[in-house]
Amino acid sequence: MKRKRMPMGRYLAVLHIILMAYSLFGIFSKFASHENFLSARFILFYGVVVLNLGIYAICWQQIIKHMPLMVAFANKAVTVVWGIVWGWLFFGETVTVPKIIGAIIIIGGILLVVTEKEEENG
């Protein structure tokens, strides 16, 4: 029996959830950097980083089976936008106008790649 393929939009949604989770490794890395080397909390935070990266690697391989690599890599840039969000949310970093402009450019670039690919396929 032939498997039904998920629409590209769903793969993109799953990809963005995976990339959001992937971007969390930076938070745990930063938390670990504030701990004493090899303390229990340091090991816990870096353990979460390694686990996160391992799960991400497996999920990434599954996603690129179902979408063009160019589209997947273009979407990977969204982790920069998540970095801005996480910095503001967890570390009280200031979101400046240049950061917002950069985020808009990144999102615009992703949209250009994704919509161009859809037009070629459709």
Side-chain angles (χ1 to χ4, degrees), residues 2-120:
K2 196 171 184 179
R3 287 174 113 180
K4 226 179 185 182
R5 288 199 66 177
M6 235 187 339
M8 179 66 90
R10 286 198 182 158
Y11 282 114
L12 282 170
V14 170
L15 174 63
H16 278 265
I17 291 167
I18 291 167
L19 292 171
M20 180 185 70
Y22 167 72
S23 69
L24 290 172
F25 89 90
I27 293 169
F28 290 102
S29 297
K30 194 164 184 174
F31 284 154
S33 71
H34 295 292
E35 302 298 327
N36 291 325
F37 183 64
L38 294 181
S39 68
R41 288 175 56 93
F42 177 89
I43 291 169
L44 174 71
F45 287 135
Y46 267 107
V48 171
V49 169
V50 171
L51 180 65
N52 184 337
L53 293 176
I55 292 169
Y56 163 75
I58 292 167
C59 292
W60 175 258
Q61 292 301 317
Q62 297 305 309
I63 283 292
I64 62 174
K65 285 182 183 179
H66 302 284
M67 73 173 30
L69 192 57
M70 181 181 80
V71 172
F73 266 109
N75 280 274
K76 201 170 180 181
V78 79
T79 58
V80 174
V81 177
W82 281 114
I84 294 168
V85 172
W86 301 143
W88 171 76
L89 207 70
F90 290 102
F91 304 109
E93 295 177 359
T94 306
V95 178
T96 62
V97 172
K99 286 181 186 177
I100 293 171
I101 292 170
I104 291 169
I105 291 170
I106 289 169
I107 293 168
I110 291 169
L111 289 172
L112 282 174
V113 170
V114 171
T115 54
E116 177 183 315
K117 203 66 185 164
E118 285 177 358
E119 288 173 4
E120 287 177 11

